[in-house]
Amino acid sequence: MTGHLTERTDRPGRHDVGGRLPAPHGDDRAAPWADTLWAAVRAADEYAAVDVVTDALAAGLDPESVLLDVIGAVQRRVGTEWAANRMSVADEHAATAINDRVIAVLPARRPEGIRGRITVACVDQEWHALPARLVSETLRLRGWQVDYLGAQVPTAHLISHIHRTGPDAVCLSSSLPTRLPLAHSAITAIQAAGTPVMAGGPAFGADGRYARLLGADAWAPDARAAAERLAAGPLRRPTSAHQATDDLPHLRDQEYTLVAKSSTRLVRDTFRSLEQRFPAMRDYDDEQRERTAEDIAHIVTFLTAALYVDADEVFGDFLVWTAEVLTARGVPARSLLPCLDLLQEQLHDFPRACRLLDAGRTALTPRP
């Protein structure tokens, strides 16, 4: 390991805040405005960014197109540029903050008739809030009363809010697959409160497979699709509570629980073994050592998430994308393989974990 992976795990390209599917009904007139907003964002010029949005509205672009096809398009590009090492983490954070700011420029007129009430929240520990906000603002523009709760909403607080406000549905957002266990807990708790759940965000898979696997009542690939599904008719309210193992019978083997509980030890022992096998690590400075330990922790976290849903592609996609990021930063992707080997030595008694590690190696193997 080389200590260069840490920055990427907050913004993985395959699971990025900008990784939602392209809007299927985008306004072609929005592209030039998106380019202009991109220039303002890259210059970190918030005033210019506000001017772009107000000018686009004045030129006749409707607010939803400005929201999704201008601001949303720029945010997707932010993720792409970061992954290609053309933006720093600080630049990416600044760009996201500007995009969040200019959303406030959009009109917030009270509709004549309220369609219903929707709660929009991010899964606990999910701090990528902008996708959820895009959904919230789209629903508001289409006449819904929306309670937008933002990032990192603890499930207990979300349930209290539901009991107090009685929404017609909850839209639950998550960008990273590592949040899927917490998303599952939130889905089952919301449904136990008698409220249906629509899941969205890259964590649930490009085709919504993990939303279905975790028992969500609906899934939407983007903000427009979420609004259209809700407009088509009410989601069916849950009739009975269920447990995690009802949706995921493989959890009964306890591999996920045991590996998750031992994650700290796995990271520590893998780091120590790497030091012994690769003497060059002993010359790392404190920052390199810290980053390498964090890199290993991210690998273990994604492995654990893949164990939860029993999906090779969750771990494999993470490794492939990580290899692409490493390559863009001039670090050989093969540096991942020793870590996988050391983890397998420690997890040899866990057949599903070993299968995932084997699948990860296969995903990293160049195809002829």
Side-chain angles (χ1 to χ4, degrees), residues 12 18 34 84 262 317:
S262 63
D317 285 354

Side-chain angles (χ1 to χ4, degrees), residues 87-163:
M87 290 185 78
S88 70
V89 171
D91 290 340
E92 180 274 331
H93 286 183
T96 300
I98 290 173
N99 282 333
D100 191 64
R101 166 69 179 86
V102 297
I103 289 174
V105 177
L106 298 174
R109 301 184 184 91
R110 183 185 297 273
E112 295 181 2
I114 299 294
R115 288 175 177 263
R117 188 168 190 169
I118 305 294
T119 295
V120 179
C122 292
V123 172
D124 193 8
Q125 298 184 20
E126 175 60 70
W127 60 272
H128 299 92
L130 196 59
R133 188 165 184 205
L134 293 176
V135 172
S136 297
E137 299 303 324
T138 301
L139 293 176
R140 284 196 181 104
L141 289 169
R142 296 201 184 190
W144 295 88
Q145 180 180 349
V146 179
D147 300 323
Y148 170 60
L149 306 187
Q152 302 189 95
V153 182
T155 298
H157 294 260
L158 177 57
I159 298 305
S160 295
H161 178 84
I162 290 169
H163 285 310

